[in-house]
Amino acid sequence: MSQTLDDTDKAILNLLQDDATLPLKTVAEYVHVSIATAQRRIQALIDSGVITKQVAIVNPNKVGYGLTAIVMIEMERSNTSMQHRFERLMNAQPQVMSCYEVSGDFDFLLMVNAKNMIDYHQFTRSLLTHENNVRNFKSQFVMNFTKSGTKIMLD
């Protein structure tokens, strides 16, 4: 369910998606509201679940995670409880950056960061197994990040 956002909310969200560390004064000036109004609006966006997290985005190569894989998962059995179990398992894995249930030939798509191929191989051997309801998986390795973002541009 989509929440109705006015132009001020959208402007605040566009700013914070670029830099969530902006001082309230800067946000308020940019969207032409008082600091108190900006603070109330941001808190309302957090309380309503529009803003789910405020994080720092880290360059994986700079912190020793030089391998990024896109992993397409085909499940053995496609029932709700097994899929929820797999989702919980992936959610608990720090190497899994994203887990999407998708349509088409595969059931899930993962973005996985690993230190190296040995680290990735260990991940696949321990988690992408028949015991975890995985029939098959295919890995594609990122050669270069042309664009990697999190911003949803609101207009």
Side-chain angles (χ1 to χ4, degrees):
M1 182 176 193
S2 179
Q3 178 172 336
T4 303
L5 303 172
D6 65 16
D7 290 341
T8 301
D9 290 329
K10 291 176 186 177
I12 289 170
L13 288 168
N14 284 333
L15 280 174
L16 295 180
Q17 286 183 93
D18 284 331
D19 184 358
T21 67
L22 285 174
L24 275 173
K25 181 179 184 209
T26 304
V27 174
E29 287 172 356
Y30 187 83
V31 300
H32 310 293
V33 297
S34 70
I35 293 172
T37 298
Q39 185 175 26
R40 277 194 306 276
R41 293 281 191 124
I42 292 168
Q43 190 59 54
L45 292 165
I46 292 168
D47 293 344
S48 66
V50 172
I51 295 175
T52 59
K53 279 186 180 180
Q54 296 179 49
V55 300
I57 298 173
V58 175
N59 180 333
N61 291 311
K62 301 275 185 183
V63 294
Y65 283 79
L67 186 71
T68 301
I70 300 165
V71 187
M72 294 150 288
I73 309 286
E74 181 183 0
M75 305 304 285
E76 183 68 39
R77 292 175 305 285
S78 190
N79 64 55
T80 302
S81 66
M82 293 302 286
Q83 286 182 296
H84 287 304
R85 181 178 174 271
F86 183 78
E87 289 168 349
R88 286 190 304 274
L89 179 66
M90 291 302 106
N91 193 44
Q93 304 311 310
Q95 308 98 311
V96 176
M97 302 300 292
S98 302
C99 176
Y100 303 98
E101 184 178 2
V102 296
S103 63
D105 295 335
F106 294 93
D107 298 300
F108 289 95
L109 184 136
L110 308 176
M111 290 289 294
V112 177
N113 279 336
K115 293 177 183 174
N116 51 41
M117 187 55 75
I118 294 167
D119 188 34
Y120 179 71
H121 188 232
Q122 182 180 5
F123 169 83
T124 62
R125 284 277 172 105
S126 64
L127 295 167
L128 304 183
T129 63
H130 182 71
E131 291 81 31
N132 290 323
N133 194 36
V134 175
R135 174 185 297 156
N136 184 28
F137 71 92
K138 293 188 187 218
S139 304
Q140 304 244 331
F141 298 98
V142 173
M143 303 293 288
N144 183 30
F145 286 98
T146 303
K147 180 178 181 180
S148 177
T150 60
K151 185 173 185 175
I152 299 170
M153 186 65 185
L154 303 170
D155 45 59

